[in-house]
Amino acid sequence: MARILVTETIAEGGLERLRAAGHEVDVRSPSSAEELLELVRGAQALIIRSATQVTAEVLEAGSELVVVGRAGIGLDNVDVAAATERGVMVVNAPQSNVLSAAEHTMALLLAQARNIPQANAALKEGRWERSRWTGVELSDKTLGIVGLGRIGKLVAQRALAFGMRLVAYDPFVSAERARQLSVELLELDELMAVADFVTLHVAKTPETVGLIDAARLEKAKPGIRIINVARGGIVDETALAEAIRSGHVAGAALDVFDTEPCTESPLFELPNVVVTPHLGASTHEAQDKAGDTIAEQVVLALAGDFVPFAVNVSAAEASETVRPFLPMAERLGELFASLSGLAGSLEIEYQGQIAGYDTRILTLAVLKGFFGRVSDQPVSYVNAPALAEERGIEVRESSTTTSHDYVNLIALRGGGHALAGTLVGLKGEPRIVMVDDHTVDVPPARHMLVVRNEDRPGMIGVVGTALGRAGINIADMDVGRSAEGVPALMVLATSQSVPVEVQEELRAAGGIISVHAVDLS
């Protein structure tokens, strides 16, 4: 029997499942971080929701912890790295609220189209404003879905029933998978130019923060309406408010905000904006599913059985030879996702000594890094293959013990891009050694810039000058050479994230073919 500390409310059915397994369930509501440190001592499992902060200090105090369970999806309040270092399994309930979030999206879509909250408020205040709140039909309108993950897919299915035309932006979904959903894939700016309504279903990453900004709204179809039930910060709220005031955007419906709790926003002043206080997962059914699922995962973890929704998997499952390559493999997947609008297939090749070992966990690490950049849910070694299957991406592995230039090499190909990395020296330091078939030698860094350019003098100066004007230091740099010896690619490690305006300045410069800014976790 184990002691399970539950610090937040979960469904009673989940608690009963834990008790039925013979465990002691200790339900508490700590009023401070200090009280939590005392309560967690002697507990073998800790179950939380979004309010409890599971820090490194909490994990240290809970020296007997086997598992931390989050009754929901997000893990922002759990120090997963510290848990992994201490050998504590972290589990969540990634599928518990997808249906509720999709239905809330449809509710906001309808509320925005028909002005339901505004008309309701007016009538309750004694005003019969029938003509003021004339709405629009959904039928025959174009819905742009940004992100075709689990929630985006459910929204697409429901919107079809309303007779809507569906377009979507998701560079990590194959065209065939999109066709199966009756969705036409477009680039984001194209989607914004044709959509009457846009719904967002993407993870909050450095690439998606401010995804819908003033410049993108300016390019959008006049009269467009924006719905966000994903994460706050993906939409620039100030820019959205200004676009609505100008009349270019007809309205918006938001469930999430850049800072939460949020009780003040320029959007709240606008009559054609519908808002809710992060209710996407707030249904009895979602809470019941989360409680039941997390209880099941915790019971399995305490029994030492396979745990389907484990977020961190012990590296002990890899051989001593393969284990040092796990961080490198995950970094490669993360970097590749930032470079490639992958669709169709991802080829992973292992060369050299590691090819003689079981490399399946390295493939899982690549997929974990890759989908961690693009998924709207936490990604683990366990669920990464399922995400690839859902998005119609075929993962192909190959191995050869022959390696021409390095003792070991991991190479990725797909979506018109290629990337390879290895470990060098006695310390096994990671190196990116190939980008798009250009030879480079750069350690992966948190902030990187990949620039394709014409083969002509002065191109390094163009990039260096633009970064210098922006106050961005270049920590490392290499000029990649193709098989023909042509230096037409630069890979730079920078001191900070390269702002969008600097990227645009570089793209507009003569001789620059493409610019990819990468911000790794």
Side-chain angles (χ1 to χ4, degrees):
M1 183 180 73
R3 174 174 166 250
I4 301 173
L5 175 63
V6 182
T7 60
E8 297 178 67
T9 302
I10 69 167
E12 187 60 34
L15 298 177
E16 287 303 319
R17 183 185 288 251
L18 296 169
R19 296 186 183 107
H23 298 301
E24 175 193 350
V25 180
D26 186 4
V27 180
R28 302 290 190 96
S29 298
S31 58
S32 65
E34 291 72 23
E35 185 179 356
L36 176 61
L37 293 177
E38 290 300 319
L39 290 173
V40 78
R41 300 184 196 280
Q44 286 74 48
L46 171 62
I47 294 179
I48 63 168
R49 288 181 64 188
S50 59
T52 304
Q53 299 296 316
V54 183
T55 62
E57 291 75 20
V58 170
L59 293 162
E60 183 177 1
S63 57
E64 297 180 38
L65 281 175
V66 174
V67 58
V68 172
R70 161 70 161 96
I73 293 181
L75 290 165
D76 296 344
N77 55 324
V78 180
D79 191 333
V80 178
T84 303
E85 186 176 341
R86 298 189 68 87
V88 178
M89 184 179 292
V90 178
V91 301
N92 66 348
Q95 300 178 28
S96 58
N97 73 351
V98 292
L99 185 56
S100 291
E103 290 186 354
H104 196 66
T105 300
M106 297 306 298
L108 289 183
L109 184 68
L110 286 163
Q112 171 52 230
R114 299 306 300 269
N115 301 307
I116 294 170
Q118 301 94 320
N120 172 74
L123 189 54
K124 286 186 174 180
E125 291 170 3
R127 301 192 309 276
W128 183 271
E129 298 179 339
R130 186 178 181 188
S131 60
R132 181 181 180 185
W133 300 117
T134 301
V136 296
E137 293 182 347
L138 296 186
S139 180
D140 296 324
K141 299 298 190 301
T142 298
L143 175 64
I145 303 173
V146 181
L148 271 179
R150 289 177 178 169
I151 297 173
K153 179 179 69 175
L154 291 173
V155 169
Q157 291 169 345
R158 283 149 181 76
L160 277 176
F162 282 91
M164 302 190 81
R165 174 199 172 212
L166 303 182
V167 297
Y169 168 72
D170 192 326
F172 307 98
V173 167
S174 67
E176 176 57 31
R177 181 60 178 145
R179 279 193 293 271
Q180 292 171 0
L181 296 170
S182 301
V183 175
E184 179 186 357
L185 289 178
L186 298 176
E187 292 299 315
L188 184 53
D189 285 342
E190 293 178 294
L191 178 149
M192 296 291 290
V194 301
D196 300 294
F197 295 84
V198 169
T199 67
L200 303 170
H201 308 286
V202 295
K204 186 176 182 178
T205 68
E207 288 81 12
T208 62
V209 170
L211 185 69
I212 307 301
D213 58 7
R216 188 149 276 138
L217 289 170
E218 188 177 344
K219 300 174 187 174
K221 180 178 181 178
I224 195 171
R225 291 171 166 85
I226 309 294
I227 293 90
N228 186 14
V229 187
R231 289 289 185 270
I234 295 172
V235 176
D236 184 327
E237 294 166 22
T238 302
L240 178 59
E242 184 57 39
I244 293 172
R245 286 194 197 96
S246 73
H248 185 67
V249 173
L254 291 89
D255 183 51
V256 290
F257 302 90
D258 194 19
T259 301
E260 295 182 1
C262 177
T263 56
E264 292 184 9
S265 168
L267 291 164
F268 294 176
E269 305 166 4
L270 304 175
N272 44 348
V273 172
V274 178
V275 291
T276 51
H278 206 147
L279 298 181
S282 297
T283 63
H284 294 298
E285 293 84 355
Q287 300 309 312
D288 286 346
K289 290 174 192 173
D292 289 342
T293 300
I294 209 62
E296 180 185 13
Q297 303 306 298
V298 168
V299 168
L300 290 171
L302 291 173
D305 294 333
F306 173 72
V307 184
F309 300 134
V311 172
N312 55 348
V313 173
S314 172
E317 295 182 15
S319 70
E320 291 293 333
T321 301
V322 168
R323 194 181 309 166
F325 287 87
L326 282 170
M328 180 69 203
E330 188 167 339
R331 277 289 200 224
L332 283 173
E334 202 174 353
L335 180 58
F336 197 71
S338 299
L339 291 176
S340 168
L342 183 63
S345 66
L346 171 63
E347 299 177 17
I348 307 173
E349 183 180 14
Y350 301 101
Q351 298 179 14
Q353 292 180 355
I354 58 171
Y357 293 83
D358 186 347
T359 56
R360 285 176 296 179
I361 196 166
L362 291 179
T363 296
L364 294 178
V366 169
L367 295 178
K368 181 174 181 287
F370 183 92
F371 286 107
R373 301 297 295 178
V374 304
S375 176
D376 58 355
Q377 61 181 291
V379 181
S380 70
Y381 289 97
V382 178
N383 68 355
L387 290 174
E389 184 176 352
E390 283 180 9
R391 292 166 182 258
I393 298 174
E394 180 186 2
V395 180
R396 297 197 291 262
E397 301 173 54
S398 62
S399 299
T400 174
T401 54
T402 302
S403 183
H404 299 290
D405 300 309
Y406 303 95
V407 176
N408 294 289
L409 189 76
I410 303 174
L412 313 182
R413 291 186 180 275
H417 289 274
L419 185 69
T422 190
L423 302 181
V424 301
L426 295 176
K427 295 182 180 179
E429 296 178 350
R431 287 288 191 280
I432 304 297
V433 296
M434 184 269 285
V435 177
D436 290 344
D437 293 312
H438 286 69
T439 301
V440 297
D441 187 356
V442 178
R446 184 175 182 185
H447 307 295
M448 302 185 75
L449 196 67
V450 179
V451 180
R452 293 291 299 271
N453 56 275
E454 295 176 1
D455 179 26
R456 68 189 201 192
M459 299 313 301
I460 293 176
V462 169
V463 175
T465 300
L467 294 179
R469 278 199 300 266
I472 300 172
N473 288 328
I474 299 174
D476 212 329
M477 176 180 177
D478 197 17
V479 177
R481 293 184 176 274
S482 67
E484 295 77 29
V486 177
L489 180 141
M490 288 177 259
V491 181
L492 305 91
T494 59
S495 60
Q496 63 195 72
S497 179
V498 179
V500 173
E501 55 268 24
V502 178
Q503 297 176 42
E504 293 298 333
E505 177 186 345
L506 286 172
R507 292 187 182 104
I512 299 295
I513 299 170
S514 65
V515 176
H516 289 281
V518 180
D519 294 293
L520 303 179
S521 58

